[in-house]
């Protein structure tokens, strides 16, 4: 079974440009999450999709960030226009857990991340 | 609000020795889960171990065990018989509200473990 994949692995853009990150979750996983780690700081939650719906987007830093998950499969995270403070590693994770089930761990499977550098 | 604290930015251990990575947490929820992830230099996040707040036994997975002390709100990771391949960044994380919509993980800042020969 393929794991969570992310593309690109690394992106270097100039301030003001647009970048789109892509995440392909594990097949069949309804839950998809985006996280971000800014250099030296903790990994922070950005948002959570259940299928194609945004369940929780409380971590999105501002309206320059737009996430979509068309058809409930892959997801994209667009940053427009990018700022210097957006640099960091963006992780995507997926999980099969459904509310009300007895899934004990709700483990989230992480992708390898996309390293974004804004210059 | 949930918070995870990892006070050890870096730890050193010799091969074959045991090491404990500290993690304390803060939450007002009664039901929550605690996770440890490993991030090697290649960048991927690897799930290691999980402890539910209602689990009476400490979780164990091979050489990993979680020393869960609920009253002290600590969930330390113990790695026995360290191996060179254990050198990595380790993150403690918490998920609150086990049967609610709150599935996001809250992470600590991580501990970098270096295993020497």
């Amino acid at each position: 079974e393929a794991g969570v994949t992310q593309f690109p692995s690394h992106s270097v853009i100039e301030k003001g440009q647009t970048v789109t990150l892509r995440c392909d979750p594990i097949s069949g996983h309804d839950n998809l999450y985006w996280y971000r780690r800014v250099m030296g700081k903790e990994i922070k939650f950005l948002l959570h999709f259940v299928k194609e719906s945004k369940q929780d987007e409380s971590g999105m830093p501002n309206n320059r960030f737009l996430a979509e998950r068309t058809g409930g499969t892959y997801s994209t995270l667009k940053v427009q226009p990018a700022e210097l403070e957006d640099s960091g590693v963006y992780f995507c994770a997926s999980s099969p857990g459904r509310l009300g089930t007895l899934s004990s761990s709700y483990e989230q499977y992480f992708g390898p991340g996309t390293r974004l550098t804004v210059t | 609000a949930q918070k995870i604290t990892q006070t050890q930015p870096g730890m050193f251990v010799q091969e074959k020795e045991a090491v404990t990575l500290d993690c304390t947490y803060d939450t007002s929820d009664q039901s929550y889960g605690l996770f440890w992830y490993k991030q090697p230099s290649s960048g991927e996040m690897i799930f290691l171990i999980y402890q539910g707040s209602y689990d009476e036994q400490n979780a164990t997975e091979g050489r990993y065990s979680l020393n869960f002390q609920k009253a002290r709100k600590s969930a330390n990771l113990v790695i026995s018989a360290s191996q060179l391949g254990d050198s990595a960044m380790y993150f403690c994380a918490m998920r609150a509200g086990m049967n609610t919509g709150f599935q996001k993980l809250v992470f600590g800042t991580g501990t970098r473990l270096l295993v020497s020969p």
Side-chain angles (χ1 to χ4, degrees):
Chain A
E1 180 183 271
V4 177
T5 57
Q6 292 188 244
F7 181 82
S9 58
H10 193 180
S11 179
V12 181
I13 61 171
E14 291 184 353
K15 176 182 171 181
Q17 289 186 323
T18 297
V19 64
T20 299
L21 313 181
R22 174 171 169 142
C23 168
D24 286 79
I26 293 172
S27 177
H29 283 194
D30 288 340
N31 297 284
L32 186 150
Y33 314 82
W34 283 99
Y35 294 87
R36 173 174 79 169
R37 185 178 189 219
V38 172
M39 180 68 74
K41 297 196 174 181
E42 67 269 26
I43 300 168
K44 283 197 171 179
F45 167 82
L46 296 178
L47 88 158
H48 168 209
F49 283 99
V50 177
K51 297 185 180 178
E52 67 274 9
S53 300
K54 291 175 185 174
Q55 176 77 13
D56 180 358
E57 52 185 329
S58 60
M60 294 288 264
N62 50 61
N63 59 11
R64 295 186 293 104
F65 289 74
L66 175 65
E68 295 181 325
R69 191 182 182 195
T70 307
T73 55
Y74 71 91
S75 174
T76 57
L77 180 64
K78 181 190 288 188
V79 185
Q80 179 183 29
E83 298 289 344
L84 298 179
E85 64 265 25
D86 300 333
S87 294
V89 181
Y90 290 76
F91 290 101
C92 175
S94 71
S95 75
R98 292 182 296 280
L99 298 182
T101 69
L102 293 178
S103 174
S104 62
S105 72
Y106 296 92
E107 176 190 338
Q108 295 182 15
Y109 298 82
F110 280 77
T114 293
R115 182 174 296 278
L116 174 65
T117 304
V118 183
T119 62
Chain B
Q2 290 81 35
K3 185 175 170 64
I4 294 283
T5 301
Q6 293 180 257
T7 57
Q8 305 155 317
M11 288 286 285
F12 295 89
V13 67
Q14 273 203 312
E15 203 176 4
K16 298 179 186 175
E17 290 186 348
V19 62
T20 298
L21 306 184
D22 293 342
C23 172
T24 57
Y25 60 91
D26 189 23
T27 181
S28 56
D29 291 296
Q30 296 300 310
S31 177
Y32 50 89
L34 295 154
F35 301 77
W36 278 92
Y37 282 85
K38 172 185 177 181
Q39 186 185 37
S41 57
S42 50
E44 75 272 28
M45 296 279 283
I46 302 168
F47 166 76
L48 294 178
I49 197 167
Y50 164 84
Q51 179 86 40
S53 58
Y54 291 120
D55 294 341
E56 294 183 353
Q57 304 266 2
N58 283 346
T60 59
E61 288 286 348
R63 294 185 299 111
Y64 304 108
S65 61
L66 200 152
N67 184 3
F68 181 47
Q69 297 189 39
K70 196 169 181 177
R72 302 173 89 172
K73 293 192 174 179
S74 74
N76 298 340
L77 176 70
V78 181
I79 306 175
S80 63
S82 299
Q83 300 172 357
L84 296 178
D86 294 334
S87 293
M89 195 77 171
Y90 289 80
F91 292 97
C92 181
M94 175 169 59
R95 178 186 178 278
M98 297 298 285
N99 287 308
T100 72
F102 302 106
Q103 297 197 30
K104 68 184 181 186
L105 295 178
V106 174
F107 284 86
T109 50
T111 295
R112 184 168 296 283
L113 176 66
L114 184 61
V115 182
S116 59

